[in-house]
Amino acid sequence: MMIKESSLRRDPDLGGELAFLAKGCDFVLPSRFKRRLKSFQQAQVQSKQEKKPGTSSPVPLNSVVSPYTLLPVNKATSSTPLSINIPRFYFPKGLPNVCTNHEEIIARIEEAFTEFEDEKANICEMGKIAKICGCPLYWKAPMFNASGGERTGCVSVHSFVSMWRKILRNCHDDASRFTYLLAKPSCDYLEQEDFILLLQDVVETHPGLTFLKDAPEFHSRYITTVIQRIFYTVNRSWSGKITLTELRKSNFLQTLALLEEEDDINQITDYFSYEHFYVIYCKFWELDTDHDLYISQKDLARYSDQALSNRIIERIFSGAVVRGNEVQKEGRMSYADFVWLLISEEDKRSATSIEYWFRCMDLDGDGVLSMYELEYFYEEQCERMEVMGIEPLPFHDLLCQMLDLVKPEREGRVTLRDLKRCRMAHVFYNTFFNLEKYLDNEQRDPFAVQKDIENDGPEPSDWDRYAAEEYEILVAEESGNEQLQEG
């Protein structure tokens, strides 16, 4: 290894490394390199002796001077790292509002408690306290429980003020306060069981659900339905835990606040509609022949006159979209899982529905629908059409249609992003596993399909339309049965 001594002096990085090696390094170096290293050390010592304070060492004539060496150097900044004051920009519990007078709110709360017997509030009286705190009426049950009311049956002014001070100090927006009230200690997310007490209070006190007081066996079914609809819409991560970010991005808190303004709960179609619950439960009841609140693959195959293919039903029961071991081990689906299935089947335009069916069709779980997977599902559709005397479209021709419909970013690979972007995922999915809807779409006017794509107005969702139509049919059937019994 031939290294010129002048190059060693010109290279400060190499010089630093060699100086480090010279300080008692235990490496066994080649003798030639040792001689070069010794020469380098001697040159370093000589240069230090010749160098005087205030003077700089001359630059060799044949050396290359970097243009950066001509720039002025600030000794103060070069010797110490520059300190930059970056203001805080991340507030997981909300942005603090310095203008809010918390003590004024506490004083109003304490004054309100003086109107109650022994300065203690029950869960009904907690509604007044919730409004003083600037919260919606139906936060009263979570507030009551968070203050210890569930244990004692009432809440004292001291326990509530202590709890609310802690919230005002640590939580600065509605999402973080709501989560603090409902979540388990030290948890910053909401699980399904966290909503039970809140929804039980809605069932017992909302004027649009007074008829349920005489049917307590339906309380848990309604609550289960609402919880599943909340997680279907809000829990975009499919984790089973609603985070603060997911709660803020959803409309759940705004919808919950509407409950106190609207006496007809069926007008609030998001989450809480009793009519929607009635449709879902009746559809499940028709399939659950033994009424054990579970359905099998055979039961589900009867849905909508065998509309779903057997292969997609097998994928549903494989655990691709259903949590828990009951589906895979015992081959049965609970009512809670059926809520997800029915909404996904009747509204394939929503983000959760697109993800639901994509998981079912993605057989190998690689995040891409290959041509093999599409052909696998279309084969059964062809077989069923042939039984009905309908000549099916060859797969190659159908594939061209679907790729023109979706316009995937990469040829021959359909991704979840492609399906969400094309806005025709419902047509795509029905083609491969819902024969009835596929045939209906084939008979539609193509201009009507284009109108669906271009329509951005606030139209009711496919689920809202389906639930309204089915509810009218169910009510008409019930009225007809009553007339027959009376006759």
Side-chain angles (χ1 to χ4, degrees):
M1 183 185 297
M2 300 297 292
I3 304 177
K4 293 184 179 181
E5 295 174 8
S6 60
S7 66
L8 291 174
R9 288 196 295 271
R10 290 199 307 270
D11 191 346
D13 295 331
L14 182 58
E17 293 178 8
L18 291 174
F20 175 79
L21 289 173
K23 296 178 181 178
C25 183
D26 295 332
F27 289 109
V28 179
L29 302 173
S31 57
R32 184 180 300 175
F33 193 75
K34 279 188 174 181
R35 288 197 299 272
R36 295 299 179 188
L37 182 60
K38 186 175 181 180
S39 175
F40 171 74
Q41 290 174 328
Q42 291 175 350
Q44 290 287 91
V45 173
Q46 184 178 357
S47 64
K48 288 181 180 179
Q49 292 176 351
E50 294 176 355
K51 189 175 180 179
K52 296 180 181 180
T55 61
S56 60
S57 58
V59 179
L61 296 176
N62 59 347
S63 65
V64 179
V65 180
S66 170
Y68 296 104
T69 60
L70 302 177
L71 296 175
V73 178
N74 189 335
K75 293 184 179 180
T77 58
S78 62
S79 59
T80 58
L82 182 62
S83 176
I84 302 176
N85 183 21
I86 300 177
R88 182 181 175 186
F89 58 87
Y90 177 58
F91 300 91
K93 299 296 182 67
L95 183 64
N97 187 358
V98 295
C99 300
T100 304
N101 189 348
H102 293 164
E103 292 305 319
E104 181 180 346
I105 297 175
I106 296 298
R108 292 173 58 196
I109 292 172
E110 292 174 341
E111 182 181 356
F113 266 91
T114 60
E115 302 175 7
F116 307 141
E117 185 178 356
D118 297 331
E119 294 190 351
K120 294 181 179 179
N122 57 34
I123 191 169
C124 296
E125 295 167 334
M126 190 58 64
K128 180 178 181 180
I129 303 300
K131 301 305 293 183
I132 293 175
C133 294
C135 301
L137 175 66
Y138 285 98
W139 285 35
K140 64 181 187 292
M143 285 180 163
F144 183 78
N145 295 324
S147 305
E150 188 180 13
R151 298 187 303 271
T152 61
C154 59
V155 173
S156 67
V157 60
H158 302 294
S159 60
F160 182 85
V161 168
S162 175
M163 181 274 297
W164 196 245
R165 280 187 186 277
K166 189 180 297 183
I167 287 182
L168 293 176
R169 184 168 59 250
N170 300 317
C171 307
H172 307 290
D173 67 350
D174 287 345
S176 59
R177 290 172 183 174
F178 183 80
T179 302
Y180 180 92
L181 290 171
L182 267 71
K184 301 175 183 65
S186 303
C187 289
D188 57 355
Y189 54 81
L190 295 172
E191 297 179 302
Q192 293 191 10
E193 58 267 25
D194 297 332
F195 288 86
I196 293 177
L197 292 173
L198 165 69
L199 297 177
Q200 186 64 46
D201 180 55
V202 172
V203 170
E204 294 175 354
T205 61
H206 194 277
L209 295 172
T210 51
F211 59 90
L212 279 181
K213 290 182 179 179
D214 299 329
E217 65 274 11
F218 284 101
H219 289 191
S220 62
R221 315 285 164 78
Y222 174 80
I223 290 172
T224 299
T225 306
V226 175
I227 290 176
Q228 297 310 314
R229 294 192 66 187
I230 291 170
F231 275 77
Y232 185 91
T233 304
V234 180
N235 187 209
R236 302 295 305 115
S237 63
W238 288 63
S239 64
K241 300 174 181 179
I242 294 178
T243 64
L244 286 171
T245 301
E246 290 175 330
L247 192 59
R248 291 186 182 108
K249 289 182 177 180
S250 73
N251 68 339
F252 174 71
L253 292 181
Q254 294 87 335
T255 306
L256 182 64
L258 290 176
L259 288 177
E260 62 183 287
E261 302 174 8
E262 181 59 67
D263 290 344
D264 184 2
I265 202 165
N266 294 316
Q267 296 299 317
I268 305 176
T269 56
D270 291 340
Y271 314 112
F272 297 100
S273 170
Y274 179 81
E275 291 181 357
H276 289 195
F277 155 70
Y278 187 75
V279 169
I280 296 172
Y281 190 69
C282 286
K283 291 297 178 183
F284 183 81
W285 190 258
E286 291 172 2
L287 301 177
D288 183 20
T289 53
D290 57 1
H291 305 313
D292 63 346
L293 294 181
Y294 288 95
I295 59 174
S296 63
Q297 292 190 40
K298 186 178 179 180
D299 295 329
L300 184 58
R302 294 187 290 105
Y303 174 73
S304 190
D305 295 328
Q306 288 81 35
L308 295 174
S309 69
N310 291 324
R311 292 183 178 181
I312 202 68
I313 291 175
E314 290 174 1
R315 284 294 295 162
I316 294 170
F317 279 78
S318 70
V321 288
V322 179
R323 295 188 185 89
N325 298 324
E326 290 178 339
V327 170
Q328 292 171 280
K329 290 184 177 180
E330 304 177 18
R332 58 182 193 167
M333 174 185 288
S334 68
Y335 172 68
D337 294 324
F338 180 78
V339 174
W340 284 61
L341 168 64
L342 184 62
I343 298 176
S344 298
E345 166 56 25
E346 299 304 335
D347 186 1
K348 295 187 178 75
R349 300 174 194 258
S350 69
T352 304
S353 177
I354 295 173
E355 295 165 6
Y356 186 98
W357 295 117
F358 188 90
R359 289 178 176 223
C360 290
M361 293 187 68
D362 186 12
L363 299 175
D364 54 7
D366 63 349
V368 173
L369 299 184
S370 65
M371 302 305 102
Y372 161 76
E373 288 165 332
L374 299 183
E375 186 175 17
Y376 171 79
F377 286 101
Y378 187 64
E379 279 178 355
E380 185 177 351
Q381 298 286 73
C382 291
E383 294 171 0
R384 298 177 68 185
M385 281 188 279
E386 289 172 353
V387 171
M388 298 169 62
I390 302 173
E391 183 179 358
L393 191 68
F395 176 70
H396 182 269
D397 296 337
L398 176 105
L399 183 61
C400 292
Q401 288 185 3
M402 291 298 102
L403 294 180
D404 288 342
L405 184 77
V406 177
K407 296 181 176 60
E409 293 180 349
R410 296 182 61 183
E411 185 177 356
R413 295 161 59 93
V414 178
T415 64
L416 181 62
R417 178 177 178 177
D418 294 331
L419 290 170
K420 287 185 175 180
R421 178 174 46 82
C422 76
R423 300 174 61 187
M424 295 295 288
H426 58 294
V427 176
F428 178 87
Y429 285 137
N430 289 331
T431 300
F432 291 103
F433 57 77
N434 191 311
L435 185 58
E436 180 183 348
K437 292 183 179 180
Y438 166 62
L439 295 176
D440 287 345
N441 185 72
E442 287 295 294
Q443 298 171 5
R444 286 190 68 190
D445 182 1
F447 292 103
V449 176
Q450 183 64 27
K451 184 179 179 181
D452 287 345
I453 301 176
E454 298 173 353
N455 188 10
D456 288 327
E459 292 287 325
S461 67
D462 288 351
W463 166 251
D464 289 339
R465 282 194 289 266
Y466 168 81
E469 293 170 2
E470 288 297 319
Y471 184 76
E472 290 181 3
I473 294 172
L474 291 170
V475 170
E477 290 177 353
E478 186 69 23
S479 300
N481 293 335
E482 289 179 357
Q483 291 176 1
L484 286 175
Q485 291 175 359
E486 291 176 358

